[in-house]
Amino acid sequence: MKTSAFPIFTLKNTPSEAEVISHKLMIKSGMIRKLSSGQYTWLPLGYKVITKIEKIIREEMNSIGSVEILMPSVQPAELWQESERWDQYGPELLRFSDRHDRNFCFGPTYEEVITDLIRKDVSSYKQLPINFFQISSKFRDEIRPRFGVMRAREFIMKDAYSFHSNEESLNETYELYKSAYKNIFKRLLLDFTIVNADSGNIGGNESHEFHVIAETGEDDLLLDKSMNGMNLEIAKVKFKENNLDAILNKENLQHVKGIEVGHIFKLGQKYTEKMKTKISTKDSKTVNIFMGCYGIGVSRIVAAAIEQNNDEQGIKWPKPISPFDAIIIEIDGHKNSKVRSFSEAIYNNLKKKGVDILLDDRDLKMGNKLNDFELIGIPYAIIIGSKEAEKSITTIMMRKNSSKTSVNPEDIFKIISGK
Ligand code: ATP
Ligand code: MG
């Protein structure tokens, strides 16, 4: 990509409405723009990060046999009345009616829709297990949208659902998702912990949350020595103790803040019972299907990653989700034809090798381009000015530590790809 065709919308001033660093940097670096409360447009740079996260999620979902589908964003009220959530869900559910006065909601989650799909098409244990996932925009009319895309009203979620003829099969699949989620957050190079969100009640459904550790997190977590996490509220119930310090002392735990980026849940027969979703078993009995659900906050991950990776100058992307692998900064390319042709040659060569490369061909001063490079947070800048073009050499600057090295064109690929 070239900036002439891939517009960069960086700002000079720090936006005042943003409270947390990720929100500030996402606006300042031109990743998002606000449409209305809790709603954001993803600009090219931001959307590029989204697609990289989605790619990793898709690969890990496919590797455990979860198959991608896409369900409508508007859902009929009847299904929510059947599950009894039309009354239970509260004002977070955005409700409206169509021209025939039929009630609908904008989907905040999809248990009802997918259970309806399964009950119409599945009747025998022979068709199970089934694993479906989708990546789509969800809407929740949050009481207090804040921190930009971290707690938005409209946001991108990957939601998966699994269906089983017995509990053992659900348990096996639940473990598969848990390990896929671990892989996803490891591949994103995020510092995370898994929190047992199970209340411990007998008959209570098992559930785990995945949290990115960050000071700005909204959730209170307790970590043991091996980084196993527990929800503070659940810990209070478990240890029959309301005082945080008392729990920390007694149990030798550490108190941290977490951003919930994923949540997996053994739903069991909760929805299939209410929505009469039955199959015939091997021994010709009729049972309600067992179900699990598995969510990841795709757009929230972007903010969480920035919370963990930034400095005074801007974002420092983990390589797997950086909007580009590297940026070529040409200096005065519009008036120096040697610089322009040298930059173009390097650009074409790297592109051919599969490097996701951005060529900054804007008519701007070197200082401005370097500031944008640091703000946007791409791991490497390949700097090409008249001196470099004369000698057919480049200067590579690393975002990580601001170090600059002279590099021959044929060695660039090795350095930026780590190969
Ligand atoms: P929270 O406790 O943060 O409100 P939740 O438990 O209601 O989240 P889930 O129903 O578990 O959310 O949804 C799955 C995932 O979707 C969450 O783990 C989170 O990463 C993401 N998510 C939920 N609500 C929002 C939101 N308002 N903005 C951005 N991402 C969200
Ligand atoms: Mg949750």
Side-chain angles (χ1 to χ4, degrees), residues 384-403:
I384 296 172
S386 55
K387 194 181 73 192
E388 280 86 3
E390 260 344 299
K391 295 187 195 157
S392 285
I393 201 160
T394 65
T395 300
I396 291 195
M397 181 169 165
M398 278 169 76
R399 177 65 183 90
K400 197 165 65 180
N401 53 16
S402 301
S403 68

Side-chain angles (χ1 to χ4, degrees), residues 327-368:
I327 181 170
I328 298 172
I329 297 181
E330 58 159 41
I331 305 158
D332 293 337
H334 56 288
K335 52 186 182 200
N336 185 329
S337 60
K338 267 197 181 150
V339 167
R340 172 95 355 142
S341 57
F342 189 39
S343 314
E344 295 259 341
I346 288 174
Y347 171 77
N348 288 327
N349 188 272
L350 289 173
K351 229 172 73 164
K352 226 185 285 164
K353 289 189 162 139
V355 176
D356 194 3
I357 183 95
L358 181 65
L359 170 58
D360 190 347
D361 56 359
R362 292 175 298 171
D363 182 3
L364 282 180
K365 292 214 169 69
M366 153 116 160
N368 294 334

Side-chain angles (χ1 to χ4, degrees), residues 14 33 55 65 83 169 207 234 248 262 296 328 330 334 392 407:
T14 304
R33 286 295 180 263
K55 181 166 185 280
S83 73
S169 169
S207 159
I234 287 169
L248 295 179
I296 287 189
I328 298 172
E330 58 159 41
H334 56 288
S392 285
V407 176

Side-chain angles (χ1 to χ4, degrees), residues 140 142 149-152 155 157 260-263 295-297 300:
R140 295 181 183 179
E142 297 274 356
V149 299
M150 195 102 88
R151 182 164 297 283
F155 57 96
M157 194 206 288
E260 185 191 314
V261 287
H263 197 171
I296 287 189
R300 184 180 281 181

Side-chain angles (χ1 to χ4, degrees), residues 8-24:
I8 300 287
F9 295 100
T10 50
L11 304 176
K12 280 228 168 63
N13 299 317
T14 304
S16 56
E17 79 265 24
E19 297 164 75
V20 294
I21 189 72
S22 57
H23 189 195
K24 283 184 188 148

